[in-house]
Amino acid sequence: MELTLGNQILLWGFGIAVLMGAVVNKTNFCTMGAVSDWVNMNDTGRLRAWVFAIAVAILGVLALELFGYTDISMTASNDTAQPPYRTPMFAWPRYILGGLLFGIGMTLGSGCGNKTFIRIGGGNIKSIVVLLMMGIAAYIMIYTSFDHYVFLQWMNPLSVNLAEHGMNSQDLGSIVGGLAGMEDTRAAYITLAAVLGLLFAAWCFRAAEFRGSFDNLLGGAVVGLAVVGAWAVTAGPMGQEWLSEIEWLDVKPHATGVQSYTFVAPSGQLLHYIDGGFAQRLVTFALVGAAGVVVGSFLWAILSRGFRFEWFNGIGDAVRHILGGLLMGVGGVLAMGCTIGQGVTGASTLALGSFLAFGAIVLGSALTMKIQYYRMLYEAEASFGKALITSLVDFHLLPKGMRRLEAM
């Protein structure tokens, strides 16, 4: 393989992902587990590790921008970024619905896209089934017109084009600065990134279950820094030089654009790579990142003697995981990212849609867990409707008088 500048970018993406995969396996950094700990045990340690990763990523990207090393503004255009997190087209319906579907799916599938790749590296065979289902759904969403006819044809008219309001980006700095009538919104971006990053970090360190756990600190820090590292590679001098050399119509569309890690799109890209006869032009940054996570997880599993095969414990378990994979594929592509892709990578750009998708993912996952809890606790008495309404009451989204099942 010729070591072109583009291939060097892919190798850097793979190498950083190997480190991330090993650390995520070692520390049990898990976004679905984070929501589960919070909902079921009122333990926010791993949730804070996730938020800490966001804080590190926001502050890291801010530092890269302040030193002039990267140009994250390129994430506003679909021509240079995959995906365009800061696009001025604020497609709020897809962020909400996609996030909800992904949150439900990751709960049914025992982990998000990143965790699926981590589990595969650790020997979990049923995660291969989840990956296949997620990949089929993502492939259909990305490479066919299914997403347009089912979702986008009614979502796009509901979207808000911020460019019509004088804002060429949906990052919080541009929005706040634009509303304040600022001609140059850079100061607003710098201020908001610094404040949000520090506030998120301070919230994390307030809790003993976070600051007292080395694994939570390490996992959050490494995931955040890995996202920053990928931005430095693809949006830094190397990435910008490569973008200036290539003809976009001749080059693999997702391989070398400005981007960082995300873990739903590569499942569909993997099937596209296989379907395309393993053509080198179909090797993408997201795909090598996912491969790196699997390799890193595998290496840690071998070193720690934690590698073990795992299979479904019954038909019901298999059906839940299959459905979970399909929902993650649809939801992740629709929301333009997953728990890492939007929850950390997208959030690091301060894109409003990323925070909206993050909230929808958490809500979808938490509601699914609550519904499962009530249906297990009350069995036949707890219909889906009763469990859903009671769960919404638990999260203060409905008044207490609407409660249908008593908490225990």
Side-chain angles (χ1 to χ4, degrees), residues 6-17:
N7 288 333
Q8 291 179 51
I9 291 172
L10 296 180
L11 287 173
W12 272 104
F14 177 80
I16 296 171

Side-chain angles (χ1 to χ4, degrees), residues 135 139 142-143 253-254 265-279 281-284 287:
Y139 180 95
I142 295 171
Y143 298 106
H254 303 290
S267 65
Q269 291 169 4
L270 174 61
L271 296 186
H272 186 52
Y273 176 59
I274 295 171
D275 183 53
F278 302 96
R281 64 184 178 81
L282 299 179
V283 177
T284 69
L287 191 54

Side-chain angles (χ1 to χ4, degrees), residues 10-238:
L10 296 180
L11 287 173
W12 272 104
F14 177 80
I16 296 171
V18 169
L19 175 61
M20 178 167 60
V23 172
V24 167
N25 190 332
K26 188 266 179 203
T27 61
N28 197 24
F29 181 96
C30 176
T31 50
M32 193 277 287
V35 179
S36 178
D37 289 351
W38 168 53
V39 171
N40 297 319
M41 297 182 291
N42 200 32
D43 183 335
T44 61
R46 287 199 288 178
L47 182 64
R48 291 172 193 264
W50 187 7
V51 175
F52 186 56
I54 297 172
V56 170
I58 289 174
L59 294 174
V61 169
L62 173 62
L64 291 176
E65 290 280 82
L66 286 176
F67 285 104
Y69 193 81
T70 59
D71 184 7
I72 303 298
S73 67
M74 289 191 290
T75 60
S77 171
N78 196 52
D79 292 332
T80 52
Q82 301 294 336
Y85 291 113
R86 287 184 172 183
T87 173
M89 185 59 70
F90 180 58
W92 61 269
R94 68 182 298 172
Y95 297 127
I96 295 174
L97 181 58
L100 288 172
L101 291 175
F102 185 87
I104 295 168
M106 80 171 187
T107 304
L108 296 176
S110 298
C112 64
N114 176 261
K115 191 65 174 182
T116 297
F117 288 108
I118 293 293
R119 290 180 185 275
I120 290 172
N124 192 309
I125 301 175
K126 63 183 181 181
S127 289
I128 297 178
V129 176
V130 174
L131 173 62
L132 178 61
M133 294 299 105
M134 182 168 63
I136 290 173
Y139 180 95
I140 292 171
M141 291 287 287
I142 295 171
Y143 298 106
T144 74
S145 300
F146 177 84
D147 63 334
H148 173 76
Y149 288 112
V150 177
F151 298 108
L152 300 185
Q153 68 173 349
W154 62 268
M155 288 182 169
N156 286 343
L158 297 175
S159 301
V160 179
N161 187 354
L162 297 175
E164 295 178 354
H165 303 278
M167 305 169 198
N168 59 3
S169 171
Q170 65 165 278
D171 74 277
L172 296 179
S174 294
I175 293 173
V176 172
L179 292 174
M182 299 171 61
E183 292 186 9
D184 185 357
T185 60
R186 179 173 169 79
Y189 161 71
I190 293 172
T191 302
L192 284 170
V195 170
L196 285 176
L198 293 174
L199 282 177
F200 287 162
W203 179 77
C204 295
F205 280 98
R206 284 187 61 187
E209 63 257 39
F210 172 76
R211 64 175 182 270
S213 169
F214 176 75
D215 279 350
N216 284 339
L217 284 163
L218 179 64
V222 169
V223 169
L225 289 173
V227 166
V228 175
W231 282 128
V233 171
T234 66
M238 184 185 299

